Amino acid sequence: MPLHLAHSRQLFERARQVIPGGIYGHATPALVVPGASPCYAHQAEGARYWDVDGNEFIDLMCAYGPVVLGYRHPGVEAAAQRQAALGDCLNHPAAVMVELAERLVSLVDFAAWAVFGKNGSDMTTWCIQVAREHTRRKKILCVEGAYHGVDAWCTPGHGGLIEEDRAHVHRFRWNDEASFDAAVTRYADEVAAVVVTPYHHPLFAPSEMPAPGYLAHIQARCARHGIVFILDDIRAGFRLHMGGSHRYFGFEPDMSCFSKAMANGYPIAAAVGKPHLRRASERVFLTGSYWNSAVPMAAALETLATLEREGAIAGMERTGRALAAGLREQAGRHGLEVEVSGPPACPFLTFRDERNLYRNQHFAAECVRRGVFLHPHHNWFISAALTASDVERILDIAGAAFECVARVPRSGSAGPAPGVMGTLSQE
Ligand SMILES: Cc1ncc(COP(=O)(O)O)c(C=O)c1O
């Protein structure tokens, strides 16, 4: 039975009249099989959400990362409401800002200071400015296909850019020390910063964990050449380790950026750094109309406290492992071989020997149709609210979806599957 999506469709038609593209960015329906996914959400609770047509979904996307304890977590909501009763957007920062900075500095082993913004892009862009200020150099090195946000130096889009925006941004290949070394050698004393994510999660491709010693190698070369080593921990931060994902993988950057899992959906981002970058960080202007808002800071304090108190990170890892094992088994029963890549808490499924994600599209559509929301091209996220019985249900549904996929002839084309948009591209 197809999903009943009449209200979603209607809203999308209205949106197209007044919002360019209707829905833009990562939530665009252009990325999925047409008509196979809702466009508008109505309500959410724990590990479930309901769309505007009343369809219920077990959620594997967590609002594309920001939700980590489950939607509307009672403790986080209560903390946010307590702060909201006092005030949110005020003339001055509230005391919670100092508390939150102290908390981050105590959680992240190398951090001597913390600053706040709203979105991940605020922080990655600010960090490269701090690195340029500190080193008085221009060049930024980052990994091919890595996403660091929407600002001109790094957006994967092409519209509105001029050559100069990226004139000093150079890419090297993930897990390829020689490629990294060649970039450092080539630009030598001009490199201000190297920016990496703790593991590689390109869109449209399996996630790749760091090879043993790879990130330590980058760290050592950065130290040798006076380059600032920036960890973009926006997607994985506080999902893999309470001290930041560098602790999970065993290396140490000079600065880290956090956002998604910090405040269980409340808008906040943070950057933390080592003592030697404090002076430069004071010289790079940092502000936004809402950046001192107190409610997200109160939500962040409570989210971090709950993650720690409840051992939620270990729990999400266990849930993710059970899910991955079950998916492989279910796929095998239908003669399909799948790869579940990335850390268990942020899994992504691909079909072996298929680069165009044609069957991912079908698999996602069949899961969504049966009540499990996941995305065919973007990694998924496990929340702490996902229970063992949710996983069982997901696996039952995945089994039925694999059965359908096994009947679909494979696409011979090497390009993207039908319905895959061509507007976003990875460099
Ligand atoms: C690794 C990484 N860096 C940066 C960003 C940008 O964050 P935001 O969308 O909040 O600006 C994202 C968002 O998905 C991300 O995953």
Side-chain angles (χ1 to χ4, degrees):
M1 252 218 345
L3 266 182
H4 180 67
L5 294 172
H7 196 187
S8 254
R9 248 182 241 126
Q10 241 174 37
L11 278 171
F12 189 67
E13 278 316 305
R14 279 168 56 195
R16 278 170 16 118
Q17 308 304 313
V18 289
I19 299 171
I23 299 175
Y24 39 76
H26 57 278
T28 175
L31 277 169
V32 298
V33 172
S37 183
C39 298
Y40 294 90
H42 179 59
Q43 176 187 349
E45 193 81 41
R48 284 179 166 64
Y49 83 98
W50 290 261
D51 70 6
V52 288
D53 287 279
N55 300 303
E56 178 179 329
F57 300 95
I58 302 179
D59 183 41
L60 280 177
M61 292 310 292
C62 294
Y64 292 80
V67 172
V68 65
L69 295 171
Y71 295 98
R72 296 178 43 72
H73 182 272
V76 176
E77 293 308 305
Q81 277 164 26
R82 278 195 300 276
Q83 182 59 50
L86 299 172
D88 181 19
C89 192
L90 304 162
N91 284 333
H92 312 284
V96 280
M97 181 168 179
V98 184
E99 277 177 57
L100 183 57
E102 287 169 347
R103 182 79 166 112
L104 291 181
V105 165
S106 72
L107 279 173
V108 181
D109 51 2
F110 65 82
W113 51 264
V115 299
F116 303 102
K118 286 281 121 187
N119 287 285
S121 310
D122 300 338
M123 294 292 100
T124 50
T125 296
W126 182 79
C127 282
I128 68 163
Q129 284 180 272
V130 171
R132 282 173 167 158
E133 174 66 24
H134 177 74
T135 58
R136 302 289 163 145
R137 302 172 184 168
K138 291 179 184 171
K139 303 270 184 208
I140 306 296
L141 303 183
C142 45
V143 171
E144 281 170 17
Y147 183 63
H148 298 298
V150 292
D151 290 330
W153 68 274
C154 62
T155 173
H158 297 295
L161 297 178
I162 54 173
E163 256 174 57
E164 288 82 351
D165 287 326
R166 311 216 181 166
H168 298 295
V169 178
H170 305 282
R171 301 266 176 175
F172 57 94
R173 284 187 299 279
W174 175 256
N175 269 349
D176 182 340
E177 287 184 12
S179 160
F180 171 72
D181 289 348
V184 173
T185 303
R186 177 154 185 211
Y187 301 110
D189 295 342
E190 293 176 274
V191 182
V194 173
V195 188
V196 298
T197 52
Y199 74 99
H200 192 43
H201 41 67
L203 201 61
F204 304 119
S207 298
E208 287 176 59
M209 302 296 252
Y214 176 64
L215 293 167
H217 174 80
I218 292 182
Q219 176 188 336
R221 280 217 74 165
C222 285
R224 195 173 334 138
H225 294 276
I227 298 168
V228 178
F229 184 19
I230 299 171
L231 179 63
D232 174 350
D233 209 1
I234 284 155
R235 191 170 303 190
F238 304 121
R239 275 204 140 78
L240 308 185
H241 195 292
M242 278 311 293
S245 304
H246 63 286
R247 300 281 300 281
Y248 187 83
F249 290 112
F251 68 102
E252 188 176 281
D254 298 312
M255 283 195 271
S256 276
C257 310
F258 299 101
S259 181
K260 286 188 188 289
M262 248 183 99
N264 209 43
Y266 283 85
I268 189 163
V272 302
K274 286 187 173 173
H276 69 280
L277 294 165
R278 185 190 290 264
R279 284 207 57 210
S281 73
E282 285 168 356
R283 287 197 296 261
V284 180
F285 194 58
L286 173 72
T287 195
S289 298
Y290 304 98
W291 289 17
N292 291 334
S293 296
V295 166
M297 294 185 185
L301 278 167
E302 187 56 34
T303 301
L304 294 171
T306 309
L307 282 169
E308 197 167 47
R309 192 177 57 242
E310 297 186 354
I313 291 180
M316 291 186 284
E317 169 127 359
R318 275 195 302 276
T319 309
R321 283 193 194 286
L323 178 68
L327 286 168
R328 284 187 204 104
E329 193 196 318
Q330 286 284 12
R333 279 192 202 163
H334 299 284
L336 297 165
E337 221 188 315
V338 294
E339 181 184 358
V340 185
S341 55
C346 318
F348 186 54
L349 179 139
T350 43
F351 291 84
R352 267 214 212 276
D353 304 325
E354 183 169 76
R355 298 297 301 174
N356 61 14
L357 302 186
Y358 183 81
R359 290 187 294 184
N360 274 53
Q361 290 258 6
H362 285 276
F363 176 70
E366 293 298 336
C367 286
V368 172
R369 195 154 76 78
R370 292 170 171 81
V372 172
F373 187 76
L374 49 79
H375 199 279
H377 310 305
H378 190 295
N379 75 267
W380 315 337
F381 297 92
I382 303 289
S383 84
L386 202 71
T387 62
S389 69
D390 292 332
V391 171
E392 268 177 41
R393 176 92 188 114
I394 293 170
L395 292 176
D396 282 347
I397 287 176
F402 284 131
E403 192 181 338
C404 296
V405 170
R407 282 194 248 115
V408 173
R410 289 185 61 170
S411 156
S413 101
V420 176
M421 42 59 116
T423 49
L424 264 183
S425 67
Q426 298 281 318
E427 280 199 300

